[in-house]
Amino acid sequence: MPVSFLIPTFPHRYRRRWYARPQFYLPALIVLLAIIFSAIYFGIVSSQLKAEAATYDLSKLEQMESASVILDRNGKIFGQIYVENRETIAYDQLPRDLVNAVVAMEDNKFYQHGGYDLFGIVRAASKNFVAGHVRQGASTITQQLARNSFALKERTYRRKFLEIFLAERIEEHFGKQKIMELYLNRIYFGGGLYGAEAAARGYFDKPACEMSLVECATLAGIIKSPNRLSPWSDRAAARESRNVALGRMRDLGFIDRQHCAAAQSEDVLIGNRQNAQGQTYAVDYIRQKVIEAVGWNRAMNEGFRIYTTIDSDLQKAAEDSLRSHLDRAEKHPDYGHPTYAEYTANFRRARLGSSPAAVPDYLQGAVIVLDNATGGMLALVGGRDFEHNQYDRALQARRPAGTAMTPFVFAAAFEEGMFPGSVVEDSALDNRAVMIGGTTGILGEWGPESAENRYEGPITARAALSKSKNGATVRLGMNPGVDNVIQLCHNAGMKSPLRPYPATFLGSSEVTLAELALAYTIFPNGGWRPKLPHVLERIEEKDGTVWHSQRDYGKQNVIKPEIAYEVHSCLVDALDNGTGKGARTNFGLKKMEAAGKTGTAYDFTDVLFAGYDSAITCAVWAGFDKPQRIFRGAFGRDIALPVWVDVMNASAEHYPPKDISQPRGLERVSICAKSGLLATDKCAEKIKRSDGEPEEKTTYLELATSDQKPTESCNVHGELHASLTRDLPPSEFPRAALAVDTNAVTPITPKGPTLLATRDPYNSVHAMVSPKPAPSSSPEADKAASEEMPDPTKPVLKAIPVRPGTEDASAPSPAPTPTDTVTTVVKPSGSPVEVRRAIPVARPTPQPSEPEVRRAEPVDEDESN
């Protein structure tokens, strides 16, 4: 039987395809309708977004906030003023390597697409869908330009589509080169730097057109994550991203493998962030003055070109010198304060931890340099680090000028008829007359700009100024008086209030460093000064229109040219042979005619040096923001002077000094240094000289005007001194007259001891004649009593009260003669010693009705002077 006979047969049945089956009708229909409605919706939304994109003003693509550029007096850019640190440049100033690196990293189909990359969008969407979050973007360079130009920041699909339509519109209106120019001028490169030009200057200290391949790749690698990949934030991450950019440039054929390998192994030098952001005291002050001139909005956004008086090379020399010499001062064995290095480390840790940093407490300093002719600021340093603290110590801080104030005291005295040859006393001076650091003690016990204080007796005013003699300066200042000295200082430019006390002679009143520098310009300028220091020359808009210009500098006459030159000649001596002589011997001041004066405030809290040549004046200060002793022996000549020398040496090349000419109204007069009068042939004294000669002339040529010139010959040496006793008969000898007739009264011998102060700064005990020893039990005790000095740690013993008429008749005291009065002194040992003095004493015989003499209380040490 055939096999087919065994297979059962079934009637024929029609099989429907899957999409025709009833169970698929409804879902398929729903999907189809969804697609149709989605397409319709997308079309409607696209139409709306396209219409919205058409409303954006594409001219705003070029209206970027542009930083105002600060240029120094030589046209060199050294700072910017901005909300966004940006300087726009044209496409032809962009290096080709930068354009290629950006294309390789951000949009490798930039030259093929019309604004967006559809395949890139699909690829990114699929990867993001698989990852479950956004891992890859698909924005083209044109899309990024649209997003950054019109602040499209929302993370929505609607924003993404609007961005695409805007990118299409941008591509229709601009060519690829213009789009790349707008993009690279606007994009953020981290570190507060916007645009390729600002980034190049900030990171590499050069314009964009001068960047190397490695530097271009570094910028391109920053764009995708500016804050994280900035070399200032993470140098290793920036280097890794740079190498990725170089590898993509190689893959796209922009560079060959050899250049790629060499560039990837190269280290790039990154500039200082503080300098790049213009965070300096000079730039901050310029910013303030520009805002005053044109307003805040215009200063920040309109890209002015600001021409200033600053010399950026001199500015850098001043900043570097101040930092290095204060670092050295902090290494002094007696320096016991926080250091700059310690604070900097703590400051960085605080910033990383997002916690506020403490107020700087290390040694600070300031420098200001002025053009003598115009008052233009050539350099301005307000502290050691602007990032730590923005307080400008050159312009804002008022601090004691110390002995740097003394030239104005001498100028006032010379105007009143004295001259550099006038003799003034250099000896101890009761501090109650001046009150420097207190109301007791001897003025100058802390040293006249020297660790060794040796009084020289009568000296010339020239020597007193050059050697910074405090006692002599105060005595000389009393001649013109406090009011005249203060008025001269105000006329010289010191607007800060000066106290109307002799302490101002030695700089106890506070002034700003800028005021002091301006005042010093009267000496090289022949008695006049510029009206005000200034820093702005002119402000230009982008089209070259001058918005602001400094036209009239103005002059202020202060003192006569002859007086100015006399003080100048003394300050030359101060620099060459006086307190500033270390400028040449220790710190290498170049050969030039320069002058200046050290300044040290009481207790070494502030140290200064102010000086000049014919072209510039420079003042330097160092101290703490909260006044305190730097260390004992911290003089202006050791800390401030070397900074001044560095600045003056740096200025000499561009501002060569000239000799300061002597005015016609001055002449050289031969005078005697011991009397200040006209010299004679006898003006010589026996002194001990190194060459063994027994005599040395005391005459020298001194400057004087016809009114100042002495008319009398020396009364210390020569014929005039010897003739005082030869020319007068004995009956005409001058005699001292007593105020009362001592023969008409009977003096009383004091029974009690003389009161002595616990401290005797004038050494008056040694001025007495040898005392007559009192009876004692042994010769040794007598010797001890006669040699022992009062103990300053013990109070003075009380005097014994004396009652009139109660003298002991059994022990009468012989009545002393009017010129031989007996005084009893109580020694610390308790034994009275009778001292005979040759001092007239007269006293009426007391009446019984006279009150009892009160006991004298012990004298406290603080009241002894």
Side-chain angles (χ1 to χ4, degrees):
M1 180 180 293
V3 176
S4 58
F5 177 78
L6 299 177
I7 300 174
T9 58
F10 300 94
H12 176 73
R13 297 181 64 183
Y14 175 75
R15 294 178 178 269
R16 298 179 181 179
R17 298 187 179 276
W18 65 270
Y19 51 82
R21 295 174 185 173
Q23 62 267 31
F24 291 105
Y25 290 164
L26 185 58
L29 181 60
I30 293 173
V31 170
L32 180 61
L33 291 176
I35 293 174
I36 293 172
F37 282 116
S38 295
I40 295 172
Y41 176 78
F42 180 77
I44 295 172
V45 172
S46 296
S47 178
Q48 293 175 345
L49 292 176
K50 202 165 189 177
E52 183 179 346
T55 64
Y56 285 86
D57 183 3
L58 296 186
S59 65
K60 290 187 177 180
L61 292 171
E62 298 189 72
Q63 297 176 5
M64 289 171 273
E65 293 178 338
S66 184
S68 294
V69 179
I70 300 173
L71 300 99
D72 75 350
R73 65 196 297 114
N74 301 312
K76 181 179 179 180
I77 296 176
F78 77 98
Q80 293 179 312
I81 304 173
Y82 53 84
V83 173
E84 292 184 354
N85 185 0
R86 176 189 291 110
E87 182 181 357
T88 57
I89 56 175
Y91 180 81
D92 58 7
Q93 293 180 275
L94 295 168
R96 188 65 185 174
D97 284 334
L98 177 62
V99 173
N100 290 339
V102 170
V103 168
M105 286 294 287
E106 297 297 318
D107 185 2
N108 56 18
K109 294 183 179 179
F110 173 68
Y111 295 105
Q112 287 81 42
H113 63 64
Y116 64 95
D117 181 4
L118 181 60
F119 292 104
I121 293 173
V122 173
R123 181 180 64 252
S126 62
K127 289 187 177 181
N128 294 339
F129 178 78
V130 172
H133 61 275
V134 177
R135 290 187 55 189
Q136 183 175 343
S139 294
T140 62
I141 285 176
T142 314
Q143 286 178 258
Q144 292 181 51
L145 175 62
R147 180 169 64 247
N148 287 294
S149 299
F150 299 105
L152 305 177
K153 302 299 182 183
E154 303 88 352
R155 298 178 67 85
T156 63
Y157 288 109
R158 185 183 187 281
R159 189 272 300 168
K160 193 69 174 178
F161 283 121
L162 178 61
E163 182 183 292
I164 289 173
F165 291 127
L166 263 175
E168 279 187 316
R169 189 160 172 251
I170 290 171
E171 292 274 352
E172 292 171 0
H173 284 78
F174 299 101
K176 293 291 185 181
Q177 287 188 358
K178 186 63 176 180
I179 292 171
M180 181 62 72
E181 174 192 310
L182 294 172
Y183 176 78
L184 286 177
N185 276 322
R186 184 177 291 274
I187 200 70
Y188 181 53
F189 285 95
L193 304 171
Y194 291 82
E197 181 72 5
R201 292 186 182 277
Y203 288 127
F204 313 121
D205 194 26
K206 61 177 63 173
C209 62
E210 297 180 7
M211 286 193 299
S212 65
L213 168 63
V214 177
E215 292 165 342
C216 290
T218 300
L219 292 191
I222 292 172
I223 296 174
K224 67 178 180 180
S225 183
N227 291 323
R228 183 176 63 86
L229 297 176
S230 166
W232 291 333
S233 300
D234 190 335
R235 187 161 296 192
R239 181 187 177 96
E240 182 179 350
S241 184
R242 176 205 72 182
N243 288 344
V244 171
L246 290 168
R248 291 186 180 180
M249 293 177 72
R250 176 200 59 206
D251 296 342
L252 292 174
F254 292 139
I255 57 175
D256 56 31
R257 292 184 177 276
Q258 183 178 359
H259 282 89
C260 177
Q264 286 180 333
S265 62
E266 184 178 334
D267 289 327
V268 64
L269 181 63
I270 304 298
N272 181 273
R273 180 170 189 167
Q274 177 178 330
N275 294 338
Q277 293 180 328
Q279 292 183 350
T280 68
Y281 293 94
V283 169
D284 185 65
Y285 179 65
I286 293 167
R287 179 183 64 84
Q288 296 175 36
K289 303 307 289 184
V290 172
I291 291 173
E292 287 180 12
V294 303
W296 193 90
N297 287 329
R298 300 200 69 194
M300 294 296 174
N301 302 320
E302 296 197 12
F304 289 107
R305 295 185 72 81
I306 303 162
Y307 293 86
T308 71
T309 62
I310 296 291
D311 185 318
S312 56
D313 294 333
L314 198 59
Q315 174 76 22
K316 187 176 187 305
E319 291 172 348
D320 293 346
S321 178
L322 183 69
R323 190 173 294 113
S324 65
H325 286 291
L326 293 189
D327 284 344
R328 188 184 68 176
E330 289 179 339
K331 294 179 174 63
H332 191 277
D334 296 331
Y335 181 85
H337 309 279
T339 65
Y340 173 79
E342 293 169 349
Y343 180 87
T344 300
N346 294 333
F347 181 81
R348 289 173 179 170
R349 284 194 292 268
R351 290 191 61 179
L352 292 174
S354 299
S355 59
V359 177
D361 53 358
Y362 50 78
L363 183 63
Q364 284 288 358
V367 182
I368 188 168
V369 184
L370 299 180
D371 185 322
N372 290 339
T374 66
M377 297 182 187
L378 301 177
L380 175 65
V381 186
R384 292 173 76 177
D385 198 315
F386 184 82
E387 189 176 14
H388 291 174
N389 185 272
Q390 289 75 53
Y391 182 61
D392 193 326
R393 297 155 188 87
L395 300 176
Q396 296 175 280
R398 288 177 174 173
R399 301 300 292 266
T403 43
M405 182 70 78
T406 57
F408 306 99
V409 179
F410 286 77
F414 295 166
E415 282 204 316
E416 291 296 315
M418 300 183 73
F419 75 115
S422 296
V423 172
V424 62
E425 180 69 19
D426 174 42
S427 59
L429 184 67
D430 192 329
N431 195 37
R432 285 173 292 186
V434 186
M435 289 186 254
I436 291 286
T439 59
T440 61
I442 304 173
L443 176 70
E445 59 192 358
W446 42 278
E449 288 291 325
S450 172
E452 297 179 357
N453 181 15
R454 185 173 64 86
Y455 296 105
E456 299 185 28
I459 59 174
T460 62
R462 175 179 296 278
L465 179 53
S466 65
K467 296 180 180 180
S468 196
K469 294 291 189 175
N470 295 331
T473 298
V474 173
R475 289 185 174 92
L476 179 137
M478 294 300 185
N479 186 56
V482 177
D483 292 341
N484 286 338
V485 172
I486 290 177
Q487 186 60 51
L488 188 149
C489 291
H490 284 324
N491 293 341
M494 300 184 197
K495 302 305 180 185
S496 297
L498 305 178
R499 300 184 187 91
Y501 305 112
T504 295
F505 295 161
L506 300 180
S508 69
S509 295
E510 295 83 4
V511 297
T512 68
L513 195 66
E515 290 174 338
L516 186 67
L518 179 63
Y520 261 75
T521 62
I522 69 175
F523 303 124
N525 283 341
W528 64 268
R529 64 168 173 86
K531 280 193 174 180
L532 287 173
H534 68 279
V535 73
L536 295 181
E537 286 291 343
R538 68 183 187 276
I539 302 174
E540 291 184 359
E541 298 190 34
K542 289 182 179 179
D543 61 0
T545 303
V546 177
W547 177 265
H548 171 87
S549 179
Q550 181 77 29
R551 296 182 179 88
D552 183 19
Y553 303 113
K555 295 182 179 180
Q556 174 76 45
N557 291 321
V558 181
I559 55 178
K560 297 176 183 177
E562 294 81 6
I563 304 300
Y565 191 84
E566 286 177 341
V567 177
H568 160 70
S569 67
C570 295
L571 294 177
V572 170
D573 286 350
L575 184 65
D576 292 342
N577 306 305
T579 57
K581 64 182 179 181
R584 301 187 192 277
T585 58
N586 298 337
F587 307 122
L589 178 65
K590 294 179 180 178
K591 187 177 181 180
M592 64 176 81
E593 183 177 346
K597 179 69 180 67
T598 52
T600 304
Y602 178 77
D603 202 25
F604 308 102
T605 59
D606 300 82
V607 293
L608 304 95
F609 193 90
Y612 55 85
D613 58 25
S614 62
I616 70 169
T617 295
C618 174
V620 182
W621 166 86
F624 292 97
D625 288 337
K626 183 179 179 180
Q628 54 189 308
R629 180 190 292 181
I630 301 172
F631 53 81
R632 184 164 184 82
F635 290 105
R637 66 183 186 185
D638 300 318
I639 298 178
L641 177 59
V643 179
W644 181 84
V645 169
D646 289 345
V647 173
M648 298 303 290
N649 285 343
S651 73
E653 181 178 354
H654 298 292
Y655 312 95
K658 302 176 181 178
D659 291 342
I660 298 175
S661 59
Q662 178 180 320
R664 293 182 178 179
L666 283 175
E667 57 181 303
R668 299 277 179 176
V669 181
S670 180
I671 68 165
C672 176
K674 295 299 179 179
S675 64
L677 300 177
L678 296 176
T680 69
D681 293 338
K682 301 295 184 179
C683 291
E685 292 186 355
K686 293 183 178 181
I687 61 172
K688 191 173 183 179
R689 287 177 49 177
S690 58
D691 57 5
E693 293 294 330
E695 292 185 348
E696 181 176 292
K697 288 187 176 182
T698 60
T699 63
Y700 74 101
L701 293 177
E702 184 55 272
L703 294 168
T705 65
S706 58
D707 293 334
Q708 295 171 334
K709 183 172 63 175
T711 58
E712 299 178 2
S713 297
C714 176
N715 58 9
V716 175
H717 311 99
E719 297 296 332
L720 180 61
H721 180 68
S723 67
L724 285 177
T725 57
R726 186 177 64 241
D727 298 340
L728 291 176
S731 61
E732 296 184 11
F733 283 171
R735 296 177 179 275
L738 296 175
V740 296
D741 184 2
T742 57
N743 295 321
V745 295
T746 303
I748 291 180
T749 304
K751 292 291 188 179
T754 299
L755 298 178
L756 291 179
T758 56
R759 292 185 299 175
D760 183 19
Y762 304 107
N763 204 20
S764 58
V765 173
H766 284 302
M768 295 187 298
V769 299
S770 300
K772 178 181 177 181
S776 61
S777 58
S778 66
E780 290 77 12
D782 292 342
K783 184 178 180 181
S786 64
E787 294 179 355
E788 191 174 6
M789 290 293 295
D791 186 351
T793 64
K794 298 179 181 180
V796 177
L797 299 181
K798 297 180 180 180
I800 302 172
V802 178
R803 297 179 183 273
T806 60
E807 293 82 5
D808 187 358
S810 62
S813 299
T817 64
T819 58
D820 189 15
T821 301
V822 179
T823 302
T824 303
V825 178
V826 177
K827 292 293 183 177
S829 60
S831 59
V833 178
E834 187 175 83
V835 180
R836 293 188 179 271
R837 287 187 178 177
I839 302 174
V841 177
R843 201 174 159 186
T845 303
Q847 301 298 321
S849 60
E850 289 184 355
E852 177 183 60
V853 178
R854 302 290 183 93
R855 291 179 179 269
E857 298 297 330
V859 180
D860 293 334
E861 183 176 352
D862 291 341
E863 299 173 353
S864 61
N865 288 333

